[in-house]
């Protein structure tokens, strides 16, 4: 009887959805299953960090797509499709006639690493002995970078990563092996070790998968890599790891660990300490004397030990004689279950404008990129997001790209501050062309966030644009907390000051 009542209820809901939507196909088993998927996705999204009220309302709407359409397989359901210049969309869903670029890594996944017997002699994986099970466990994943480098005679005596060096050094560090307050450490070196310049979305996805496989067996994670693209990797993992409830700390060094004087030893020890913290539930970077949020960090120096900074957010912790933590800046614990989403659509370009640029060349490049199914365009503009007001043809080109399904995002070339679209007349034109503001996000966070959202095939292009202006992982300051724009009235400044005082 209960089963019959359930079937009747499903049939009623499906019939109601058919009446609500003029594009709904007949009620088939696959469409019923997808209705259930949409409802469950809407309920779970309430606990996800990347859901605002408007997006939640959109997710609750019942949409009747067949599962074969969702999988990108041609179906006979009669569901209408709209063809755009940049690809194919089904009722606005972020589909494309061409698949998302497949990113791979030169290294293989580490897999489960929580058991000592899994570390065979042939594998570069070591378990540092622990004294009692009261100690926490931290997994150290090493991809390479300056920290593991040494002079290689076969390469002109230049610096190159040395396989096995980290495992050897970790075993000989008494700070990690003899101090009972330090966590138990399991380390894994990927083969081959690579420079961070060679890392990309495939390697970031590999790290996310390994964290996912070992998530419930460790209290935290340390990722060792080169510094050149560390901010990009940390930003990418901030978005890939949804509902993260444990610390993931990136670190590296400017001087190799093998040198008598180096910054690698301190960075490694402090990253391990923060990875065993109970209060951190996000992706961070520790470098030199500070802990910064991963999706707020950027590399600012190539020759000094203080290589990273967080321009628009204070450090989460400062290291001196004591560890001074800014606990009010930490992300709150997650409200949902941990999961990962590693697909990233990198069909995008970034343009940094300079005075006197040839807009004809830029228009030709944008139009050519659209023929190769461009999905995202990031503009690094002047000041608060301004473009020369006399470049009407370029603005029209941006409007055409937006209409064709390209997400156009405006960032600022300034290291600190925010994009304030519409404050000046030159920026108002961009709003009319459908350009989205990146607020105070770094270029690293902007690019990885856009690639992550475009890789989410369950989002419409309009939803991608909306979510680019929503704080998902602490990567941007909410609009209500931003400082007032230049030449703002006294009333606007007072309201902004009042909003900032309510932040904590």
């Amino acid at each position: 009887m209960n089963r019959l009542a359930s079937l009747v209820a499903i049939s009623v809901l499906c019939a109601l959805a058919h009446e609500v939507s003029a594009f709904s196909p007949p009620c088939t088993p696959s469409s019923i299953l997808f209705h259930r998927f949409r409802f469950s996705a809407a309920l779970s999204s309430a606990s996800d960090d990347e859901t605002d009220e408007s997006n939640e309302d959109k997710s609750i709407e019942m949409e009747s797509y067949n599962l074969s359409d969702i999988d990108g397989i041609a179906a006979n359901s009669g569901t209408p499709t709209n063809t755009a210049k940049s690809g194919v969309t089904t009722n606005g869903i972020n589909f494309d006639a061409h698949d998302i670029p497949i990113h791979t890594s030169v290294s293989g996944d580490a897999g489960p690493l929580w058991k000592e017997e899994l570390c065979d002699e042939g594998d570069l994986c070591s378990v540092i002995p622990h004294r009692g099970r009261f100690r926490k466990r931290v997994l150290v994943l090493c991809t390479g970078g300056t920290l593991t480098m040494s002079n290689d005679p076969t390469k002109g005596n230049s610096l190159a990563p040395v396989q096995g060096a980290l495992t050897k050094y970790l075993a000989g560090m008494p700070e990690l092996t003899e101090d009972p307050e330090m966590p138990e450490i399991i380390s894994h070196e990927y083969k081959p070790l690579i420079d961070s310049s060679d890392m990309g979305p495939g390697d970031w996805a590999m790290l996310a998968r390994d964290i996912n496989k070992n998530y419930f067996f460790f209290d935290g994670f340390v990722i060792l890599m080169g510094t050149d693209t560390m901010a990009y990797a940390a930003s990418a993992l901030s978005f890939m790891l949804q509902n993260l409830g444990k610390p993931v700390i990136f670190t590296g060094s400017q001087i190799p660990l093998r040198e008598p004087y180096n910054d690698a030893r301190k960075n490694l020890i402090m990253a391990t300490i923060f990875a065993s913290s109970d209060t951190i539930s996000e992706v961070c970077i520790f470098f030199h004397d500070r802990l910064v949020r991963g999706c707020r960090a950027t590399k600012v120096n190539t020759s000094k030990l203080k290589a990273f900074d967080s321009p628009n957010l204070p450090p989460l912790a400062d290291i001196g004689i004591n560890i001074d933590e800014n606990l009010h800046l930490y992300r709150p614990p997650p409200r949902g279950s941990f999961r990962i989403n590693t697909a990233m659509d990198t069909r995008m370009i970034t343009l940094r404008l300079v005075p006197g640029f040839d807009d004809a060349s830029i228009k030709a490049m944008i139009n050519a990129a659209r023929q190769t199914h461009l999905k995202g365009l990031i503009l690094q503009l002047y000041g608060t997001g301004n473009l020369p007001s006399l470049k009407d043809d370029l603005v029209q080109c941006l409007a055409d790209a937006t209409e064709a399904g390209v997400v156009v995002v405006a960032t600022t070339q300034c290291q600190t501050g925010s994009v304030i679209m519409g404050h000046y007349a030159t920026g108002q034109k961009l709003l009319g062309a459908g350009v989205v503001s990146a607020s105070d996000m770094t270029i690293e966070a902007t690019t990885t966030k856009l690639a992550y959202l475009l890789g989410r095939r369950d989002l419409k292009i309009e939803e991608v644009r909306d979510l680019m202006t929503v704080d998902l992982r602490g990567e941007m300051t909410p609009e209500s907390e931003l400082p007032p724009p230049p030449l703002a009235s006294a009333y606007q400044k007072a309201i902004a000051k009042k909003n900032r005082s309510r932040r904590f």
Side-chain angles (χ1 to χ4, degrees):
M1 186 66 183
N2 292 335
R3 183 178 180 184
L4 179 60
S6 300
L7 291 175
V8 172
I10 292 176
S11 301
V12 171
L13 287 174
C14 190
L16 179 60
H18 180 69
E19 293 295 330
V20 171
S21 175
F23 299 101
S24 296
C27 193
T28 62
S30 60
S31 62
I32 292 177
L33 181 57
F34 188 62
H35 283 312
R36 295 178 61 188
F37 166 76
R38 293 289 294 181
F39 272 114
S40 62
L43 293 175
S44 63
S45 65
S47 62
D48 197 353
D49 293 335
E50 58 192 39
T51 304
D52 60 340
E53 293 182 359
S54 60
N55 190 50
E56 184 176 348
D57 292 338
K58 294 177 183 177
S59 298
I60 295 178
E61 296 178 1
M62 292 197 303
E63 300 177 18
S64 299
Y65 307 114
N66 280 348
L67 292 182
S68 54
D69 291 334
I70 297 304
D71 293 335
I73 304 174
N76 299 321
S77 62
T79 304
T81 59
N82 298 320
T83 302
K85 296 180 181 179
S86 62
V88 178
T89 60
T90 304
N91 280 4
I93 292 291
N94 184 23
F95 287 175
D96 200 302
H98 297 75
D99 294 333
I100 293 179
I102 299 176
H103 304 282
T104 58
S105 172
V106 296
S107 305
D109 290 14
L113 295 171
W114 63 86
K115 295 182 180 180
E116 186 171 359
E117 55 268 22
L118 291 177
C119 301
D120 299 328
E121 293 183 1
D123 295 333
L124 294 176
C125 172
S126 67
V127 180
I128 293 182
H130 58 90
R131 296 172 175 81
R133 294 305 305 166
F134 68 93
R135 297 181 69 178
K136 293 188 175 182
R137 309 184 81 193
V138 170
L139 177 61
V140 177
L141 300 174
C142 179
T143 66
T146 303
L147 186 143
T148 65
M149 288 185 177
S150 182
N151 297 97
D152 189 347
T154 63
K155 299 181 179 179
N157 212 34
S158 60
L159 289 175
V162 178
Q163 206 82 40
L166 175 67
T167 302
K168 177 181 177 181
Y169 281 117
L170 285 177
M173 293 178 64
E175 303 96 325
L176 301 178
T177 59
E178 298 179 6
D179 191 337
E181 299 297 325
M182 292 296 289
E184 172 192 356
I185 295 177
I186 295 180
S187 67
H188 175 77
E189 296 185 31
Y190 292 98
K191 295 180 182 180
L193 297 178
I194 58 176
D195 190 277
S196 66
S197 301
D198 295 320
M199 292 185 65
D203 304 281
W204 306 337
M206 174 190 67
L207 291 170
R209 289 192 300 268
D210 283 336
I211 290 175
N212 182 47
K213 292 174 184 175
N214 296 278
Y215 184 78
F216 295 104
F217 300 92
F218 292 90
D219 298 285
F221 303 86
V222 173
I223 298 177
L224 305 179
M225 63 172 293
T227 59
D228 288 346
T229 62
M230 185 184 293
Y232 288 94
S235 295
L237 259 71
S238 296
F239 298 112
M240 288 181 177
L241 306 177
Q242 302 179 35
N243 294 320
L244 179 63
K246 298 179 180 181
V248 176
I249 312 298
F250 279 80
T251 195
S253 68
Q254 296 284 69
I255 307 173
L257 187 59
R258 66 176 295 275
E259 296 293 333
Y261 169 73
N262 63 74
D263 60 330
R265 196 178 192 95
K266 173 186 174 182
N267 289 348
L268 180 56
I269 293 173
M270 291 307 305
T272 303
I273 291 175
F274 281 114
S276 60
S277 171
D278 293 324
T279 55
I280 300 176
S281 55
E282 56 182 301
V283 179
C284 303
I285 292 177
F286 177 83
F287 217 88
H288 185 53
D289 64 348
R290 61 184 57 185
L291 181 75
V292 297
R293 179 165 296 155
C295 54
R296 288 280 196 163
T298 185
K299 187 174 181 179
V300 296
N301 204 299
T302 61
S303 59
K304 294 185 177 180
L305 300 184
K306 190 179 292 186
F308 288 87
D309 196 11
S310 176
N312 291 307
L313 186 74
L316 302 182
D318 292 290
I319 311 303
I321 297 178
N322 300 313
I323 300 178
D324 298 323
E325 297 180 276
N326 296 318
L327 297 177
H328 60 280
L329 297 177
Y330 284 4
R331 296 281 293 170
R335 295 173 294 175
S337 59
F338 174 73
R339 57 187 182 274
I340 64 172
N341 194 318
T342 60
M344 300 192 83
D345 193 339
T346 56
R347 290 173 293 180
M348 63 177 69
I349 56 176
T350 301
L351 296 177
R352 183 181 178 93
L353 302 187
V354 295
F357 63 87
D358 184 6
D359 54 332
S361 299
I362 295 179
K363 289 190 297 180
M365 182 172 60
I366 294 175
N367 290 329
R370 283 171 51 192
Q371 300 303 318
T372 57
H373 309 282
L374 178 71
K375 301 296 291 183
L377 173 62
I378 298 175
L379 301 173
Q380 291 185 278
L381 304 179
Y382 314 129
T384 58
N386 300 315
L387 189 72
S389 58
L390 301 179
K391 304 284 187 178
D392 291 335
D393 291 342
L394 179 58
V395 174
Q396 183 59 46
C397 178
L398 297 177
D400 294 341
T402 300
E403 185 178 356
V406 179
V407 181
V408 185
V409 184
T411 66
T412 177
Q413 296 180 8
C414 301
Q415 187 175 21
T416 60
S418 171
V419 172
I420 307 176
M421 300 287 289
H423 181 65
Y424 294 103
T426 53
Q428 190 68 37
K429 290 185 177 181
L430 295 177
L431 278 178
V435 178
V436 178
S437 169
S439 188
D440 61 347
M441 285 191 291
T442 63
I443 188 64
E444 294 90 344
T446 303
T447 53
T448 52
K449 180 179 181 178
L450 182 56
Y452 163 75
L453 292 176
L454 290 174
R456 291 282 302 269
R457 309 309 295 270
D458 57 332
L459 296 177
K460 301 178 182 179
I461 289 297
E462 293 77 11
E463 292 174 326
V464 172
R465 293 192 179 101
D466 291 340
L467 288 174
M468 282 299 296
T469 63
V470 176
D471 181 24
L472 305 182
R473 308 286 194 269
E475 74 280 1
M476 63 192 304
T477 305
E479 186 177 358
S480 61
E481 298 177 8
L482 288 173
L487 305 178
S489 65
Y491 173 76
Q492 290 174 312
K493 293 181 179 179
I495 292 298
K497 182 177 180 181
K498 183 178 180 181
N499 289 335
R500 290 197 299 274
S501 66
R502 292 178 176 178
R503 181 174 181 180
F504 311 132

